[in-house]
Amino acid sequence: MDREFLIDLFADFGPVTIRRMFSGYGISSDGTNFALALRAGLYFRADEATIPQYEAEGSKPFQYQTRARTVTVNSYWQLPARLFDDTEELGAWARAALAAAQRAALKKRPKARKVAKAPPTKKAAPKKAAAKKKVAKRAKRRR
């Protein structure tokens, strides 16, 4: 898949940003990455709300091989091939994928911590008193 093909494919969805990523492209909207276009196909972001839709279509989650094993990434699922011919329905799937990516981003945000009151600290001695002590020590050394 080349860049121009992807731009045409997402025409009914709206403007997207396409950036080089791994062996393909990352596709985002308003700064949120919601799709991956790789050699193996086009993968959309999915979550517990949208995965049943992909399963019903017979889609599989994104997988890649390492030297030791096959890694399955359940947050990205392959887009059904029939949607490449129906850009209007692909736009609806893309909106659902963007919503899933936004929900995932909300879950990742750190929760605001409660600010504990700091324990009372000792007041620092006035600088003049500290300076007088130093002068007194020097005077003793000289005697």
Side-chain angles (χ1 to χ4, degrees):
M1 280 180 245
D2 68 354
R3 190 179 208 88
E4 295 305 316
F5 174 76
L6 291 170
I7 290 169
D8 290 342
L9 194 62
F10 286 96
D12 285 337
F13 170 75
V16 293
T17 302
I18 300 171
R19 292 197 172 114
R20 293 285 301 150
M21 180 182 229
F22 309 120
S23 63
Y25 298 98
I27 302 164
S28 61
S29 177
D30 294 325
T32 303
N33 194 30
F34 70 93
L36 300 173
L38 305 170
R39 284 184 233 140
L42 185 59
Y43 295 86
F44 277 4
R45 183 70 191 228
D47 62 7
E48 60 277 346
T50 58
I51 287 175
Q53 197 176 6
Y54 290 93
E55 289 174 332
E57 293 280 342
S59 294
K60 303 275 186 220
F62 174 62
Q63 293 182 335
Y64 64 92
Q65 284 289 133
T66 66
R67 289 185 181 138
R69 62 187 177 105
T70 299
V71 177
T72 300
V73 181
N74 281 316
S75 56
Y76 283 92
W77 283 67
Q78 190 164 24
L79 189 68
R82 69 177 182 79
L83 295 177
F84 285 95
D85 295 327
D86 187 353
T87 57
E88 190 175 315
E89 190 175 354
L90 183 136
W93 282 63
R95 283 185 279 286
L98 178 59
Q102 290 168 337
R103 286 189 295 270
L106 285 174
K107 287 180 183 178
K108 283 187 177 179
R109 284 195 184 143
K111 294 180 182 175
R113 294 184 186 198
K114 292 182 181 178
V115 178
K117 291 184 180 180
T121 57
K122 294 182 181 179
K123 292 184 180 179
K127 290 184 179 182
K128 290 183 181 179
K132 286 182 181 180
K133 287 181 184 178
K134 285 183 182 179
V135 171
K137 283 184 181 180
R138 287 184 196 153
K140 283 184 180 179
R141 287 187 203 154
R142 291 184 185 163
R143 290 185 196 165

